[in-house]
């Protein structure tokens, strides 16, 4: 996962476009683009080599002729016939040279190369933010991230000085002072090994100094020190980095200390945000099951499902949340993900009537499907949804398929609309299908009720967004998707609307939506 950052950086000259890292599918496509680029580069090189050799072969006799001409040019100038011959020869030679120099085949290949604009500087920044988001949410020190580990897990290949330097650069440029110091430490330590040219040590020093001053670290004792390259100062610099480590209480595996990620957590103004991070880190629900919670085989009085009943598990009474096991099948999942992979687009975030692309709120790739996309497939899913929820799908929205890649997430939100009802009312129920296993991260978290749902392939989480007595939004349904550290997360959601349901209230009377 971490190693792909190098690929992004090394190919950024080709590029401009999507958030490639936000989806495993898109990242695979990017590698295919890279293969095409390399093939075009090789073809261009062959054509240019052939052109240079052809030009060389053509110029040799011309040079011989020119040397001979220099001795007899007076004769050519004085003779009208010889002058015409000379002019004709020069015109022909220059035209041929121009033709060889402007090789159309090479130009065409170069144009094809230019058409593949895949990665821009903005894509690298987005990838950087994804790694930083993973760090902050899961409290992973840069020292662990740089060696590709998280707790006892291997999450990627070790990063070298150049890659760590990219992290320190973007941290500094985005005013992430603690991140700048953390990653600058890793950059410097790795730079000491072989001193690669990709690291501008003076600029690294500049990052550390300004970031340290911003965090309150006293840098006055180093104000007369500016030459990090001087070999006699290495010990002094080492001591200086130790001071920074101590000042920021960066976690050391051999000693207990305060984690700097507590500082980030304290920046959060809402306790919900802090709880969201804590639940993502532990992966454990803090809310115990009550005596009303049950697991059962559910048929919903359907003769068809008596032979193969649903496995229904109570998660919460208020709000009503249930988990259904083995409700979507492997062949269905394979078909849906195959269909969605063809033309995924950046996942947008809806808030107060506006749709926007904001990485910090949502990062992934999605595809919408209506029932007409595959009537048999989605018709069967609609039947299952109507059976387990006992609500109609006739006024429901389509199926939203989402693929999450590196740092892919969805920040805390409610699925119900808070800016007023839509043409079919509000989202009454949400059905969330899990189509892959992501056992160790990427959870769905409900911070207000301390519940964590793990991604288990074939299961579906179903919850009521609204109170059934008046249609107000249940604040317990605030939820979010934790960032994906490693793996491939596929989900599919569907929202059922108030219109067409048997409700105790008239949803059209709810001009103002309240959250309770």
């Amino acid at each position: 996962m971490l190693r792909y950052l190098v690929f992004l950086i090394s190919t950024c000259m080709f590029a401009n476009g999507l958030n490639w890292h936000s989806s495993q599918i898109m990242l695979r496509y990017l590698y295919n683009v890279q293969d095409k680029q390399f093939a075009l580069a090789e073809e261009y090189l062959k054509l240019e080599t052939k052109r240079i050799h052809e030009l060389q072969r053509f110029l040799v006799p011309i040079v011989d002729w020119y040397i001979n001409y220099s001795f007899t040019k007076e004769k050519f100038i004085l003779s009208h016939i010889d002058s015409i011959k000379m002019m004709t020869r020069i015109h022909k030679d220059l035209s041929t040279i121009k033709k060889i120099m402007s090789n159309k085949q090479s130009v065409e290949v170069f144009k094809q190369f230019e058409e593949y604009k895949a990665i821009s500087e903005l894509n690298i920044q987005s990838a950087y933010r994804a790694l930083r988001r993973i760090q902050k949410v899961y409290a992973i020190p840069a020292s662990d991230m740089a060696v590709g580990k998280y707790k006892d897990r291997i999450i990627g290949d070790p990063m070298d000085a150049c890659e760590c330097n990219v992290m320190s650069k973007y941290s500094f440029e985005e005013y992430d002072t603690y991140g700048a110091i953390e990653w600058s430490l890793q950059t410097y330590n790795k730079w000491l090994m072989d001193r690669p040219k990709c690291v501008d040590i003076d600029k690294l020093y500049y990052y550390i100094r300004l970031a340290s001053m911003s965090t309150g670290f006293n840098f006055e004792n180093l104000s007369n020190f500016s030459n990090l390259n001087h070999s006699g100062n290495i010990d002094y610099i080492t001591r200086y980095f130790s001071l920074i480590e101590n000042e920021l209480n960066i976690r050391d595996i051999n000693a207990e200390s305060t984690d700097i990620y507590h500082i980030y957590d304290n920046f959060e103004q809402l306790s919900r945000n802090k709880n969201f991070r804590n639940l993502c880190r532990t992966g454990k629900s803090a809310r115990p099951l009550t005596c009303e919670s049950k697991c059962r085989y559910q048929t919903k009085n359907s003769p068809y499902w008596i032979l193969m009943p649903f496995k229904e598990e109570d998660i919460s009474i208020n709000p009503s949340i249930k988990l259904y096991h083995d409700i979507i099948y492997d062949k269905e999942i394979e078909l849906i993900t195959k269909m969605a992979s063809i033309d995924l687009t950046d996942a947008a975030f809806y808030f107060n009537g506006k749709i926007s692309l904001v990485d910090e709120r949502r990062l992934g790739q999605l595809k919408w499907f209506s029932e007409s996309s595959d009537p048999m497939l989605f018709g069967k899913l609609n039947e299952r949804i109507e059976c387990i929820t006992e609500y109609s799908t006739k006024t429901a929205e389509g199926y939203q398929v989402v693929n999450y890649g590196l740092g892919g997430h969805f920040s805390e939100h409610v699925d119900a609309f808070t800016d007023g009802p839509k043409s079919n009312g509000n989202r009454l129920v949400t059905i969330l299908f899990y189509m892959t296993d992501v056992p160790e991260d990427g959870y769905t978290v409900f911070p207000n009720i301390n519940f964590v749902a793990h991604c288990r392939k074939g299961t579906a989480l179903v919850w009521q967004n609204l109170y059934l007595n008046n249609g107000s939004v249940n604040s317990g349904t605030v939820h979010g998707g934790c960032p994906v550290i490693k793996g491939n997360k596929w989900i599919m959601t569907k929202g059922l609307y108030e219109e067409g349901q048997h409700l105790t209230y008239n949803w059209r009377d709810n001009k103002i939506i309240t959250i309770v």
Side-chain angles (χ1 to χ4, degrees), residues 1 88 96 101 226 230 273 319 333 346 354 356 358 376 492:
M1 180 198 71
T88 304
T96 305
M101 291 180 68
S226 60
H230 196 281
N273 301 133
I333 290 172
D346 286 334
K354 295 181 180 179
S356 57
V358 183
M376 182 175 292
M492 180 171 67

Side-chain angles (χ1 to χ4, degrees), residues 262-288:
H262 290 169
I263 299 173
Y264 286 112
D265 292 344
N266 290 333
F267 288 158
E268 299 288 357
Q269 296 179 353
L270 298 176
S271 60
R272 183 184 75 207
N273 301 133
K274 296 180 184 178
N275 200 33
F276 175 78
R277 287 184 175 182
N278 289 334
L279 292 169
C280 286
R281 290 170 190 173
T282 63
K284 297 178 180 178
S285 299
R287 184 183 189 187

